[in-house]
């Protein structure tokens, strides 16, 4: 798709008699996932407002927000018991520009990043942002998620 707006990508051709200044419809998950696949980003639709970007075992949910005007990636802590240290979250936020860290209601670390969609934000920008989100998630997992607790003594069974 050569148009600059994501909402204009895919779908039937517009009515030539339509208002040329009218904004295109907002993008949908199917259009976004197809654009990411064309850019060789592994993505799968989850529901009408969510898709998942993946790299190996790393998976980050992305939500279509604000009626299609923005995307929000949320990388929550999973799988390792423990609380995130305040210093790790503060260090992340002090040294990163494109993703913010916080604790959820259970004290577990979460990484969030947003992308405002609109004029000039095409499929290439979305694909680049998704790559950045996956890069940040890999670093976040290593730098902020709690380390696994050491195991106890082996048990003879």
């Amino acid at each position: 798709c050569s148009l600059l707006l994501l909402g204009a990508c895919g779908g039937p051709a517009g009515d030539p008699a339509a208002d040329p200044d009218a904004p295109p419809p907002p993008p949908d998950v199917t259009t976004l996932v197809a654009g990411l696949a064309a850019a060789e980003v592994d993505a799968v639709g989850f529901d009408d407002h969510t898709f998942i970007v993946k790299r190996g075992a790393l998976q980050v949910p992305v939500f279509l927000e604000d009626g299609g005007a923005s995307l929000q990636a949320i990388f929550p802590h999973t799988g390792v018991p423990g609380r995130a240290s305040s210093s790790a979250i503060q260090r992340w936020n002090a040294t990163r520009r494109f993703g913010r860290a916080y604790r959820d209601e259970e004290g577990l670390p979460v990484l969030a990043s947003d992308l405002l969609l609109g004029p000039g934000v095409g499929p290439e920008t979305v694909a680049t942002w998704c790559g950045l989100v996956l890069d940040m998630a890999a670093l976040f997992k290593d730098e902020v998620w709690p380390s696994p607790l050491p195991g106890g003594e082996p048990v003879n069974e």
Side-chain angles (χ1 to χ4, degrees):
C1 178
S2 62
L3 295 177
L4 293 178
L5 296 177
L6 280 173
C9 295
D15 178 1
D19 179 4
D21 295 325
D28 58 32
V29 167
T30 302
T31 302
L32 291 165
V33 168
L36 291 169
E40 299 182 3
V41 174
D42 190 3
V44 61
F46 184 75
D47 61 28
D48 290 344
H49 302 285
T50 312
F51 60 94
I52 310 292
V53 291
K54 304 184 292 181
R55 183 184 295 148
L58 197 60
Q59 298 185 13
V60 179
V62 178
F63 303 95
L64 189 56
E65 298 284 345
D66 306 316
S70 68
L71 297 175
Q72 183 178 50
I74 300 290
F75 186 57
H77 173 273
T78 57
V80 181
R83 295 175 60 89
S85 74
S86 294
S87 62
I89 289 176
Q90 290 170 356
R91 187 172 41 255
W92 178 273
N93 287 331
T95 60
R96 300 307 196 295
R97 290 180 48 199
F98 300 106
R100 65 196 172 283
Y102 61 92
R103 288 187 197 181
D104 67 11
E105 58 278 350
E106 296 173 9
L108 299 174
V110 177
L111 171 66
S113 182
D114 298 279
L115 178 66
L116 185 61
L117 302 175
V121 179
E124 300 84 13
T125 303
V126 174
T128 299
W129 176 75
C130 285
L132 173 65
V133 164
L134 288 165
D135 291 344
M136 285 191 303
L139 290 171
F140 187 77
K141 182 178 178 190
D142 291 340
E143 294 179 20
V144 179
W145 282 12
S147 298
L149 299 173
E153 292 297 317
V155 177
N156 291 330
E157 293 184 25

